[in-house]
Amino acid sequence: MIDQVISELKNYDGRPVKIMEVCGTHTSSIFKNGIRSMISPKIQLISGPGCPVCVTSPAYIDKLTEYARKENHCVLTFGDMMKVKGSRMTLTEARAAGGKVKILYSPLMAVAEAEQNREIQYIFAAVGFETTAPVYALLLEEIRQKKLENLKLLTSIKTIMPALSFLCEKEKSIDGFLSPGHVSVITGSGAYRELAARYRKPFVIAGFEGEHILAAIYEIMNQLKKQRHEVKNMYASAVTEEGNQKAAALIKEYFEAADGFWRGIGTIEKSALRLKEEYGAYDDGSGEEELEEDMPNGCKCTDVILGRINPTECPLFKTVCTPLHAIGPCMVSPEGSCGIWYQNS
């Protein structure tokens, strides 16, 4: 069966088709499995805004670096946030300048830190998509249960559905979407049905093995051929129609939708999750950042994030912009489009 799929995709000779994979893990797997060599050059695979670290506002980083350098304060973060540059510096540079920044591997480790050092005010950098929002909700439950007054969150949590709607509105050349597998575990496949109906585009959810991705591309191409626009869940081992209801309930309990700023794109309506007003005591200034930004001179990250070009088409790629010296947001994380293309091209 897979041989037939590859044969049909390889020999496709119709109109050019553009398929966007939103998840960075899908982008990595496409490279790892040599997917592009197995399909027609008329089927273009493009990356979308699938890296939450990459689309985090510079002003958010500025606030973290300010807290890191504030007396009796310490920023807690995941390692991939360390190299993200704000308007002035990164968290790595703030720590080198004497700021207090500690890398954690789990949000719940923050509770132990705060319990052991109650004289220090901890700020947890809560960055992510729907996949990590339930974990942050569990962290808040722990904070409340233990009555920790020295641990607060600074949130930059994004939601994928409004971003997909934005892409469908603004980027008419995208023909179909390889929907993000991890996010879909939380949201469920049903979350895409309104988008598919409104914009008349296929949304296909796939796992992360090469065969899964090839099968999903084949499904999208088959739908386009038959002029269909359906949601197809090809990751049924992990994704259900309704999603993870327990995780969704946790998100609904603690968070509400708000306008969100996406670095490289701008503001997308109702695309962020903010702590509800009744939990404001656990928030340390989220959402107060300025919603304006200019990309560095020559940087084409906006075009990369919106699927207009591949990273190799940016004049800064692999010249002055590298993982060790990231100019644009797409290069700051191994999950970013440019970071993945750098490692594999």
Side-chain angles (χ1 to χ4, degrees):
M1 179 63 181
I2 192 65
D3 290 338
Q4 180 185 342
V5 167
I6 293 173
S7 177
E8 291 194 31
L9 291 176
K10 184 74 172 178
N11 293 312
Y12 172 76
D13 195 30
R15 70 172 181 86
V17 169
K18 186 181 284 189
I19 298 172
M20 174 177 279
E21 85 274 356
V22 182
C23 175
T25 309
H26 276 147
T27 304
S28 294
S29 185
I30 286 167
F31 274 108
K32 176 184 174 182
N33 291 282
I35 300 294
R36 285 183 177 83
S37 67
M38 302 179 195
I39 63 177
S40 166
K42 287 194 172 183
I43 304 173
Q44 184 183 5
L45 304 181
I46 56 172
S47 302
C51 169
V53 171
C54 304
V55 295
T56 298
S57 163
Y60 177 85
I61 306 300
D62 290 344
K63 190 174 285 290
L64 288 176
T65 58
E66 288 171 11
Y67 279 130
R69 293 176 292 162
K70 193 173 181 179
E71 187 176 359
N72 294 327
H73 281 62
C74 179
V75 170
L76 304 175
T77 183
F78 297 134
D80 57 358
M81 287 293 294
M82 294 297 291
K83 295 189 297 181
V84 185
K85 197 169 185 66
S87 63
R88 295 180 293 276
M89 66 174 68
T90 66
L91 283 170
T92 297
E93 291 167 335
R95 185 165 66 176
K100 292 184 175 61
V101 182
K102 187 162 187 176
I103 297 173
L104 301 184
Y105 300 97
S106 164
L108 297 180
M109 292 173 65
V111 173
E113 283 287 330
E115 282 187 304
Q116 294 168 14
N117 304 284
R118 292 183 179 267
E119 73 284 2
I120 297 175
Q121 179 64 58
Y122 288 97
I123 311 298
F124 185 85
V127 176
F129 287 144
E130 291 95 332
T131 45
T132 49
V135 181
Y136 298 142
L138 289 173
L139 172 59
L140 283 163
E141 290 194 342
E142 284 285 305
I143 294 171
R144 294 176 64 208
Q145 182 181 347
K146 297 180 181 296
K147 298 181 179 179
L148 292 172
E149 298 181 356
N150 65 324
L151 176 57
K152 295 186 178 183
L153 274 64
L154 189 68
T155 65
S156 180
I157 307 171
K158 307 289 195 299
T159 54
I160 284 293
M161 298 305 161
L164 290 175
S165 181
F166 177 91
L167 286 165
C168 289
E169 287 282 354
K170 302 295 184 182
E171 304 300 319
K172 305 295 186 182
S173 65
I174 301 172
D175 295 291
F177 289 87
L178 186 62
S179 300
H182 295 136
V183 167
S184 298
V185 171
I186 305 298
T187 65
S189 58
Y192 300 96
R193 299 200 183 281
E194 182 184 349
L195 292 173
R198 187 194 315 168
Y199 298 109
R200 303 180 66 83
K201 297 179 188 290
F203 285 81
V204 178
I205 304 164
F208 302 99
E209 297 300 323
E211 293 86 349
H212 300 162
I213 294 172
L214 283 167
I217 296 170
Y218 182 79
E219 170 65 24
I220 292 171
M221 294 301 295
N222 193 42
Q223 286 197 35
L224 292 173
K225 179 182 178 180
K226 297 179 179 179
Q227 296 185 322
R228 299 203 317 260
H229 45 275
E230 301 169 359
V231 176
K232 181 76 170 180
N233 179 15
M234 303 181 73
Y235 194 23
S237 61
V239 177
T240 63
E241 172 74 14
E242 66 279 0
N244 187 322
Q245 294 291 290
K246 185 175 181 180
L250 277 169
I251 294 173
K252 186 176 181 180
E253 168 64 28
Y254 285 97
F255 297 99
E256 60 187 2
D259 294 348
F261 182 80
W262 295 60
R263 190 174 193 176
I265 298 178
T267 300
I268 300 178
E269 186 177 352
K270 301 297 182 183
S271 66
L273 292 175
R274 305 269 192 238
L275 282 173
K276 289 183 175 179
E277 186 175 351
E278 57 261 43
Y279 302 117
Y282 305 100
D283 187 282
D284 218 332
S286 305
E288 295 177 359
E289 63 263 23
E290 293 290 328
L291 303 183
E292 296 291 339
E293 176 201 20
D294 291 323
M295 284 287 99
N297 290 335
C299 176
K300 300 294 183 183
C301 275
T302 295
D303 291 331
V304 171
I305 290 171
L306 295 177
R308 296 170 182 167
I309 65 171
N310 285 325
T312 51
E313 297 174 71
C314 175
L316 305 187
F317 181 76
K318 273 194 175 181
T319 54
V320 295
C321 187
T322 68
L324 292 177
H325 182 65
I327 303 296
C330 300
M331 189 67 86
V332 298
S333 168
E335 289 295 308
S337 302
C338 292
I340 295 170
W341 278 70
Y342 185 95
Q343 297 166 32
N344 293 280
S345 64

